[in-house]
Amino acid sequence: MTASRSKNGLRAAAFVAAGFAMSAAASAETVKIGMVNSLTGPHASFDLPASEGILMAFDEINKKGGITVKGKNYTFTVLSEDAQSKPELAVSGAQKLLRDDDIKIVYGILTSGPGMPAATLFAKSDILYFGGFTLMDTLLGKPGFELAFRTLDADAVVSKSFVPTGVKELGIKKVGILLPNEDVSRAITAAYKPLLESSGVSVPIVEYFQPDTADFAPVLRKFQNMELDGLLTGTNDAVVEAIVRQSTELGNLPKKFLYRGGSGGPGIKYAKQIDGFAWQILTRDLDYPSDPKVKEWIERYKAFTKKDMSPNTYWALTFYDTVFMMANAMEQVGSVTDVKAIAEKVKSMRYDGVRTMRFDKDGRAQSDIDIGMLKDGKISSVRAPFE
Amino acid sequence: MLLDIAQTAVDGLMVGGLYATVAVGVTLVFGIMGILNFAHGQLVMLGAYVAFYSVTAGWGFWPGLALAALSMALFGLILERLIFRHTLTDHMAGLTVSLGIIMVVENLASAVFTPDPRTFDPPLAGSVQVAGMTLSAQRLLVLALVLLLVGTFYLFLQKTRFGKAIRAMGQNRTGAALVGVQITHVTAAVFAIGSAMAGAAGVLYGSLFAITPYMAAGPLMKGLILTVLGGLGSVPGAVAAGFLLGLAESFGARYLSASFRDGYGFILMIVTLMYFPTGLFGARGKARV
């Protein structure tokens, strides 16, 4: 992921060490924060940068002296558990955190497999939980999940800006949808297909493939000779890169792609073979930043992690701003333990950080996103406001 | 429609060839040592990484292919000398050890290479037109290399003295020893050859698909299916089963459902074993190499 090719195991250890370092630096008044993320395994490409963003945010708060609640000074210490991209280990990691009575707030997990059972456990334990995985949208608003927040925009929100922008910029008229056979994909289709059609784009074919597919030739053959000019696909870089690559190899397939779920890497790599590629940067475009806040954040990230940017670094902003929101909420409600009051305060905020965001009454993020665009061989990004 | 069927068939043969290369290594080790080496998939993964680093270092695909085969042969030899030699008489121990090796190699690979998917530029890009069909040039190259690799290996088994020794051991280990076959040498050589095949398969796999530390499960699972489907220990059986599986997956995903792709292989295996209990080329319960 980075030039340094640091070892993930060592990174995981470093994160825990960082948590203890924060602890050591803190005064007697510390707030323990739990963090579960897949620091190893196939989901680490999402969760590892996300965990870096969490640690970075708490580190910045601590370095500024922490927060002041009713005249008392508090700093934060982060205790990290590695879900290893496995649901059962996400649960055991969560259980381990819950054994510590001081932990009332937990951050982490961007993928639905490990995320669903962990979020359910946190809800049962009255934990204030900030997660990012897609299927969290199916939990929010249900009884028992009042203390849960999803820090990335739901597809229903993202698609409203992404579809019209992508269709207009790439000039697409007829699109096929190709997604992995997962619950998430049905939700994506339900959100995107009507929007495509209302944008004047016909969608004659929707196909779902086995999630761990490597060879897409047979399913791509279904899309051949349909006079499609676009393909809406997802949901991660590895899959989409394989689809783009194999599309160019097989021929007679669309050369414009709308990508739901990851970075611009898959399109940029094959920029010479395709005609267009639009992708959702659910946080901020870190590769071609024009926003001074983003530029400053990048420098701070490099200094904190001692790593360069990678195509996945933008996940580090998944939780970053919400850490500050949560800390501000603690100060405003005058408590570091009253998680219900803190949650209510977070839901009433509009925060103008690196991202501009707020949460609705159910804990769903509403934030502005960047949309990456590869067109005519040139890469750019468009900021899509949420209001 | 006919063109579509032909294209799907060629797609199936191309990916089936890859499966066959993995299965040959698995079945060879089984035929000689009597263990299903679950760690075989890890050698496929490591071979793919060797090629990735070879290509990204500027050495190119072909040196990468040779290097992957040689380095995996050496790694396989080390595994045999240090570990599997000591489990020869206990097949369950061999199987358990191979499962342990999976965990060690996979986690080490994840730590060293990171979990991020890697790809490298194949020697051939784009598509070619063959008899009205649009086919991937690299996939055609992979199919040609697989046929060359498997064909050469089959001739080696059939025509050379050493190949005959391997076949003799597959038929009866004690009998082979009695007629002067150096059992320990042949065992080590078989492990090295099987591992080299896995390394080569990894390179070919990596030239088409993404490489990750966790990629081994797929090729291994299919390799094991093919080993059973072809007849335990049968090299021709593994090859035939590989192509059959490729065709089943390709036609199933194209004309039925792509979301059930891996299921077609198991259906094929179940149906085949109902009519051919010892596999396609398995005979009278004997391992045949």
Side-chain angles (χ1 to χ4, degrees), chain B residues 14-29:
Chain B
M14 288 191 285
V15 76
L18 266 184
Y19 299 158
T21 314
V22 178
V24 164
V26 176
T27 207
L28 193 62
V29 171

Side-chain angles (χ1 to χ4, degrees), chain B residues 115-142:
Chain B
D116 291 345
R118 313 279 184 198
T119 56
F120 58 82
D121 292 333
L124 298 179
S127 55
V128 291
Q129 294 287 326
V130 181
M133 296 184 288
T134 309
L135 301 170
S136 157
Q138 177 59 22
R139 285 173 187 241
L140 280 176
L141 177 65
V142 167

Side-chain angles (χ1 to χ4, degrees), chain B residues 17-77:
Chain B
L18 266 184
Y19 299 158
T21 314
V22 178
V24 164
V26 176
T27 207
L28 193 62
V29 171
F30 180 84
I32 295 301
M33 304 185 70
I35 62 163
L36 280 171
N37 179 16
F38 280 87
H40 198 77
Q42 309 308 309
L43 301 175
V44 175
M45 177 266 289
L46 291 174
Y49 272 106
V50 170
F52 167 76
Y53 285 109
S54 171
V55 173
T56 49
W59 299 346
F61 174 81
W62 299 106
L65 180 61
L67 195 60
L70 286 174
S71 57
M72 287 310 107
L74 184 63
F75 186 49
L77 198 59

Side-chain angles (χ1 to χ4, degrees), chain A residues 1 8 210 221 245 249 269, chain B residues 11 115-116 119 127 207 262:
Chain A
M1 179 154 53
N8 280 309
Q210 191 173 291
R221 295 276 185 212
R245 174 181 173 171
E249 288 173 352
K269 186 165 183 181
Chain B
D11 285 341
D116 291 345
T119 56
S127 55
S207 74
D262 281 351

Side-chain angles (χ1 to χ4, degrees), chain A residues 1-2 5-9 11 39-45 84 86 181 186 207-219 221-222 224-225 237-238 241-242 245-246 248-252 269-270 273 310 312, chain B residues 4 7-8 11 15 53 103 110-122 124-129 134-139 205-210 214 249-250 253-263:
Chain A
M1 179 154 53
T2 66
R5 309 267 187 262
S6 302
K7 295 179 178 181
N8 280 309
R11 283 179 189 155
L39 303 177
T40 54
H43 302 173
S45 55
Q84 298 180 35
K86 294 171 183 169
N181 186 25
R186 314 282 168 180
E207 281 291 331
Y208 300 102
F209 56 85
Q210 191 173 291
D212 55 356
T213 296
D215 176 22
F216 290 93
V219 71
R221 295 276 185 212
K222 295 185 180 189
Q224 280 183 324
N225 306 317
D237 283 8
E241 182 177 336
R245 174 181 173 171
Q246 292 176 40
T248 63
E249 288 173 352
L250 294 174
N252 298 329
K269 186 165 183 181
Y270 298 96
Q273 286 98 350
S310 83
N312 289 314
Chain B
D4 200 47
Q7 274 190 161
T8 306
D11 285 341
V15 76
Y53 285 109
M103 303 307 290
S110 177
V112 174
F113 304 135
T114 80
D116 291 345
R118 313 279 184 198
T119 56
F120 58 82
D121 292 333
L124 298 179
S127 55
V128 291
Q129 294 287 326
T134 309
L135 301 170
S136 157
Q138 177 59 22
R139 285 173 187 241
Y205 189 96
S207 74
L208 297 177
F209 311 127
Y214 307 97
E249 285 188 355
S250 192
R254 172 69 181 86
Y255 296 106
L256 296 173
S257 170
S259 54
F260 189 62
R261 186 186 169 103
D262 281 351

Side-chain angles (χ1 to χ4, degrees), chain A residues 220-373:
Chain A
L220 282 172
R221 295 276 185 212
K222 295 185 180 189
F223 290 76
Q224 280 183 324
N225 306 317
M226 294 188 78
E227 296 175 0
L228 300 173
D229 57 3
L231 194 64
L232 169 65
T233 188
T235 54
N236 65 61
D237 283 8
V239 162
V240 173
E241 182 177 336
I243 289 171
V244 172
R245 174 181 173 171
Q246 292 176 40
S247 293
T248 63
E249 288 173 352
L250 294 174
N252 298 329
L253 283 161
K255 290 191 171 180
K256 293 174 182 173
F257 297 86
L258 295 168
Y259 172 22
R260 184 273 180 205
S263 76
I268 294 166
K269 186 165 183 181
Y270 298 96
K272 289 180 182 168
Q273 286 98 350
I274 64 176
D275 295 336
F277 192 87
W279 69 99
Q280 303 163 350
I281 305 166
L282 294 176
T283 60
R284 285 289 175 265
D285 179 5
L286 304 180
D287 295 319
Y288 306 93
S290 54
D291 183 341
K293 278 185 183 174
V294 177
K295 287 180 181 172
E296 285 170 20
W297 183 88
I298 290 172
E299 292 311 311
R300 295 205 304 278
Y301 172 86
K302 286 180 182 172
F304 178 74
T305 62
K306 297 181 174 53
K307 286 160 59 176
D308 286 327
M309 297 290 107
S310 83
N312 289 314
T313 305
Y314 75 89
W315 295 114
L317 280 165
T318 304
F319 299 107
Y320 179 82
D321 289 303
T322 61
V323 169
F324 291 94
M325 290 176 81
M326 187 274 298
N328 287 352
M330 283 178 166
E331 286 184 321
Q332 288 179 34
V333 301
S335 172
V336 296
T337 54
D338 186 351
V339 287
K340 284 181 184 168
I342 295 166
E344 282 308 311
K345 182 53 73 179
V346 169
K347 285 176 185 174
S348 70
M349 281 181 181
R350 183 185 190 279
Y351 186 74
D352 194 16
V354 183
R355 296 162 68 193
T356 303
M357 64 189 301
R358 69 180 178 202
F359 289 95
D360 71 9
K361 63 178 176 51
D362 294 329
R364 290 187 177 86
Q366 294 176 328
S367 69
D368 49 359
I369 66 162
D370 285 355
I371 296 172
M373 201 70 64

Side-chain angles (χ1 to χ4, degrees), chain B residues 80-96:
Chain B
E80 193 275 333
R81 291 283 114 168
L82 293 182
I83 299 169
F84 288 107
R85 167 179 285 208
H86 304 289
T87 64
L88 260 180
T89 53
D90 186 344
H91 295 169
M92 187 52 75
L95 186 109
T96 310

